[in-house]
Amino acid sequence: MDTLAVKWSAMDRLLGHSGPFAGSDFVTDDDDSVKQFIRYECRVLVVGAGALGCEMLKSLAMCGFSQLHVVDVDTIDLSNLNRQFLFREPDMGQSKAEVAARALQRRVPSCRVQAHHVDLTTLTPEFYRQFHVVVAGLDSIEARRWLNATLVSLVQCEHDAETPDPSTVIPMVDGGTEGLAGQARVILPRLSACFECTLSLFPMEARAFPLCTLASTPRLPEHCIEYASAVLWPQSERGRDAPLDVHDPGQVQWVYERAVERAEAFGIGGVTYALTLGVLRGVVPAVASTNAMIGSACALEVLKLATHLARPLNDWMAYNGAHGVYVYPFANERRPDCAVCGRPAPLRLRLPRSATLNDLLEVVAAHAELRARRPSIVSDSRPLYMATPPALQEATRVNLPKRLADQLQLPSRAADRLEYLLSLTDPSMPLGRQLLVVLEEADAAQPATDDTVEREA
Amino acid sequence: MLKLAALKKKKEAGGGTERAGGDGTTASADGVSVANASNALAAASRLRLQRDITELDVSDRVSVQFPDANDLTRFVVAVRPPEGHYRGGWFRFAFEVPPTYPHAPPRVRCLTRVFHPNIDEQGNVCLNILREEWKPVLSLNSILYGLQHLFLEPNAEDGLNREAAQLLMSHPNEFRARVTQWMRREAATGASSSRGR
Ligand SMILES: [Zn+2]
């Protein structure tokens, strides 16, 4: 029996009558127009052809979506084959996007899949604009931030520059997994909470710990591991000549042992070899069943958005399979000051009066809402530190050890503190952010505390 | 709720139209007060320039120098074409970024004297994206790429230096000789010409 016939009979059952969860725009598909839409018109972009991407592509094709595009810059590796089921051993070394597209078309001949073997950030806004829905199965927060900012920027506003024109809103369905846990969410750019609105929900990446925390006040096992690799390794005999090779088991073992010693010295538990590997390589073991659940949940959201057969997720679903099976939905709020979809007020950062520019760079690297990697900081239009281009980096790096208070001359608002408005940009930030840096007397200051400045009318 | 099915027609007709908010930077305009909106826009403009500068695509063919490292709005870009008539020369351009960037393009003048159909004696540069085809979605890098392209494929249809344009169309060999002659002279006088960085 043709797989297609099976699939459409299932869709007939779903679309043929209404139910208590149907969206307000749902109409029973008596004239097949909804099925026609799914099959011939609805263009869906799948971003990422890894484990989640394979699940999403398969589920979408089996629902009848037949105008698919898939983007992935990666090639197939032996370690992918256990869960990225569209790939086989002879495919190793080939483009994930291209092999996935071919495999899917072989299994579901009526489905058209176009592959793009490129970095998603090299595709133009015009490319993204052609889709009705974008589904993301990405493993990096940075890539999702970029995709989210791009889709938000595609929303055009009515003439008041405030009201989004719904015809330009491209929903982003985003899935993510980490070991036995995962989440799926629906983002309606400028209408609901965007990825950037909820960035603080994601754990900081281990490598972004400020060096001062690692050196003086470690609290987590990760701090000890990071200290061993970032500070102790470069001082060690072998580390003087070469950076740490995270794929060399001997070197990982060395870091693990040093981390254990340090953890014992500070009374911190939980340093294991697996965690060391995870921190050093930034990986958590992938679990096929988690990917299957999250991938299906995402495909289902696309189906709901396209057919209204049920109201879409509002707006977040978390799954945890580590201790039993636990699923719960959660509604995020839009942040009016979101750096991407809102009108951001400057972010207030408090530092001691003696703080240097270097201290500020560490704070913006460790801050959960900023996570700057290669920050550049400008006061008015005078650069304090520019990470690139080389000419400016050379000219501004002399400022790093200097105290901020000595470099800036701006009005202070109160006798006991100095306030400066600075602008921060970073490759990981779509638009950059304004900072209100408050330098306080040493005893009053709490390093790196933050709150957002009230908007001034 | 979004009506995806109903939107398809609009989407097909839509294409690449630009409106407020279309590039993500104008979104900071707000209704609280005019002063706030313009402050927000000025801040957005500075952030955008700062970001574009950090992203400048410098290489062995393109260098960027800031005569005053305290001023991000003025800088000099030098371009070295890897092939074509202008191969091996360094051609310098002064950039001046207005406060209305990216809604208005930077002003760009050529500092190197060059025999080129699209660059005149005064240093004016004829590049479509520097004028009528500028859009806020373009970046400083778009201009860098445009300038490099100008040396690989001089455009005789759109002559700013008429003599050069006509010569390129009618006598390509003579055109090539003139280009080389100018480049030699410029390299010899040196004052405003190539720098090996
Ligand atoms: Zn947002």
Side-chain angles (χ1 to χ4, degrees):
Chain A
M1 195 176 177
D2 180 14
T3 50
L4 209 61
V6 176
K7 185 171 62 213
W8 286 118
S9 73
M11 290 305 288
D12 276 337
R13 195 163 307 153
L14 276 174
L15 298 173
H17 44 81
S18 190
F21 298 109
S24 51
D25 292 313
F26 180 79
V27 278
T28 54
D29 194 22
D30 302 326
D31 58 357
D32 281 354
S33 63
V34 175
K35 285 198 287 290
Q36 300 273 330
F37 174 66
I38 290 177
R39 189 160 175 188
Y40 298 110
E41 320 231 22
C42 189
R43 285 184 294 277
V44 182
L45 175 66
V46 177
V47 185
L52 263 179
C54 282
E55 295 283 354
M56 289 165 171
L57 284 165
K58 173 260 292 170
S59 299
L60 288 169
M62 297 306 284
C63 287
F65 288 95
S66 306
Q67 310 293 328
L68 303 178
H69 286 239
V70 56
V71 181
D72 200 313
V73 72
D74 267 359
T75 51
I76 297 162
D77 186 74
L78 177 64
S79 65
N80 302 146
L81 299 182
N82 71 331
R83 63 192 185 283
Q84 301 181 14
F85 52 83
L86 295 172
F87 312 142
R88 297 289 176 269
E89 221 169 310
D91 301 327
M92 275 164 53
Q94 293 190 59
S95 151
K96 284 187 177 179
E98 286 162 11
V99 173
R102 282 202 301 271
L104 202 63
Q105 263 184 306
R106 236 180 357 254
R107 292 294 289 269
V108 188
S110 61
C111 182
R112 290 186 46 218
V113 191
Q114 217 167 308
H116 305 272
H117 180 207
V118 292
D119 180 338
L120 77 153
T121 63
T122 61
L123 293 163
T124 62
E126 280 61 40
F127 172 81
Y128 288 101
R129 211 191 295 272
Q130 65 179 302
F131 295 100
H132 290 90
V133 195
V134 174
V135 206
L138 292 161
D139 56 5
S140 106
I141 290 183
E142 298 318 323
R144 285 141 101 188
R145 284 176 87 179
W146 189 91
L147 184 63
N148 173 68
T150 300
L151 294 179
V152 170
S153 76
L154 289 181
V155 179
Q156 296 174 349
C157 291
E158 305 292 355
H159 293 295
D160 59 3
E162 286 274 339
T163 318
D165 171 354
S167 75
T168 60
V169 172
I170 300 172
M172 170 171 164
V173 179
D174 178 50
T177 67
E178 199 168 53
L180 292 161
Q183 46 94 17
R185 68 187 298 187
V186 175
I187 294 167
L188 306 175
R190 286 203 193 276
L191 297 174
S192 70
C194 82
F195 191 80
E196 201 79 14
C197 288
T198 57
L199 189 63
S200 53
L201 292 175
F202 290 87
M204 290 290 290
E205 283 162 75
R207 303 197 81 81
F209 296 127
L211 218 54
C212 48
T213 302
L214 299 179
S216 52
T217 53
R219 296 180 312 278
L220 302 170
E222 288 88 347
H223 290 154
C224 302
I225 296 164
E226 189 66 15
Y227 183 80
S229 69
V231 179
L232 297 180
W233 174 261
Q235 297 169 3
S236 75
E237 206 171 309
R238 270 192 298 174
R240 255 188 294 259
D241 307 323
L244 186 71
D245 177 2
V246 299
H247 298 285
D248 177 337
Q251 297 187 15
V252 174
Q253 180 71 24
W254 186 93
V255 170
Y256 163 63
E257 285 162 12
R258 298 295 87 73
V260 168
E261 287 165 16
R262 187 164 174 81
E264 278 167 5
F266 283 89
I268 298 166
V271 176
T272 61
Y273 186 83
L275 184 69
T276 307
L277 208 55
V279 169
L280 294 181
R281 292 193 196 163
V283 293
V284 173
V287 176
S289 56
T290 311
N291 286 320
M293 290 187 61
I294 297 299
S296 320
C298 290
L300 182 60
E301 290 309 317
V302 176
L303 183 63
K304 290 188 205 167
L305 286 164
T307 64
H308 308 293
L309 63 82
R311 287 186 291 275
L313 181 62
N314 180 23
D315 62 335
W316 172 300
M317 184 273 278
Y319 158 73
N320 196 326
H323 309 284
V325 174
Y326 180 55
V327 176
Y328 73 101
F330 180 79
N332 288 296
E333 299 266 317
R334 265 188 90 182
R335 288 186 61 143
D337 60 350
C338 169
V340 168
C341 79
R343 280 168 272 129
L347 185 75
R348 185 193 292 261
L349 298 173
R350 292 199 179 96
L351 279 90
R353 187 163 292 189
S354 60
T356 62
L357 183 54
N358 234 336
D359 296 338
L360 178 62
L361 292 188
E362 284 196 12
V363 168
V364 299
H367 194 285
E369 264 187 73
L370 301 174
R371 306 178 190 213
R373 294 254 172 96
R374 301 187 66 196
S376 296
I377 303 222
V378 171
S379 161
D380 217 358
S381 59
R382 186 168 81 86
L384 297 180
Y385 179 72
M386 298 290 284
T388 48
L392 281 177
Q393 201 272 342
E394 276 164 35
T396 56
R397 69 178 169 218
V398 293
N399 295 335
L400 288 175
K402 294 186 196 161
R403 290 159 64 131
L404 281 168
D406 297 336
Q407 299 187 58
L408 299 163
Q409 295 136 3
L410 279 172
S412 66
R413 289 204 213 151
D416 62 336
R417 60 177 193 199
L418 303 164
E419 295 185 342
Y420 306 102
L421 198 58
L422 304 178
S423 47
L424 163 75
T425 57
D426 187 78
S428 69
M429 297 171 67
L431 299 175
R433 185 80 192 258
Q434 287 210 291
L435 307 174
L436 189 73
V437 171
V438 184
L439 299 182
E440 294 176 319
E441 287 301 345
D443 50 346
Q446 305 242 320
T449 54
D450 62 273
D451 50 316
T452 301
V453 183
E454 293 296 318
R455 290 189 69 79
E456 289 155 5
Chain B
M1 242 321 285
L2 290 176
K3 298 181 184 176
L4 286 187
L7 296 178
K8 67 190 184 215
K9 294 275 159 8
K10 260 183 145 173
K11 200 173 272 283
E12 268 144 26
T17 50
E18 289 286 333
R19 259 185 287 166
D23 64 16
T25 51
T26 48
S28 352
D30 71 54
V32 180
S33 76
V34 176
N36 249 4
S38 57
N39 281 345
L41 282 175
S45 163
R46 282 198 299 266
L47 276 172
R48 169 65 192 271
L49 173 62
Q50 181 179 338
R51 187 175 164 79
D52 276 11
I53 284 176
T54 60
E55 286 180 349
L56 282 172
D57 201 352
V58 295
S59 65
D60 53 356
R61 292 178 199 165
V62 180
S63 84
V64 182
Q65 298 296 327
F66 289 77
D68 175 1
N70 286 330
D71 185 356
L72 291 179
T73 63
R74 287 159 201 271
F75 50 91
V76 175
V77 170
V79 173
R80 180 151 82 157
E83 54 190 88
H85 301 311
Y86 299 92
R87 185 169 160 238
W90 276 107
F91 301 94
R92 302 167 65 232
F93 295 87
F95 278 60
E96 211 181 305
V97 184
T100 44
Y101 184 82
H103 296 282
R107 280 184 291 279
V108 176
R109 279 188 55 243
C110 185
L111 300 174
T112 310
R113 289 189 66 235
V114 57
F115 190 69
H116 192 295
N118 314 113
I119 300 173
D120 70 13
E121 286 267 10
Q122 286 72 47
N124 296 309
V125 182
C126 178
L127 181 65
N128 56 353
I129 58 169
L130 284 175
R131 295 181 182 280
E132 71 277 14
E133 290 193 58
W134 173 260
K135 282 183 276 185
V137 291
L138 297 171
S139 66
L140 294 179
N141 273 337
S142 318
I143 300 173
L144 260 53
Y145 303 142
L147 292 175
Q148 293 175 73
H149 186 74
L150 218 52
F151 287 102
L152 298 179
E153 292 195 44
N155 180 1
E157 319 265 67
D158 210 347
L160 195 59
N161 178 340
R162 290 258 175 80
E163 198 197 346
Q166 279 166 6
L167 208 56
L168 173 60
M169 278 203 284
S170 54
H171 301 90
N173 285 335
E174 207 176 317
F175 173 80
R176 178 187 286 265
R178 284 284 284 282
V179 167
T180 315
Q181 185 193 342
W182 278 53
M183 281 170 64
R184 283 221 191 89
R185 194 169 64 200
E186 189 66 6
T189 55
S192 64
S193 73
S194 58
R195 297 173 305 171
R197 293 192 56 158

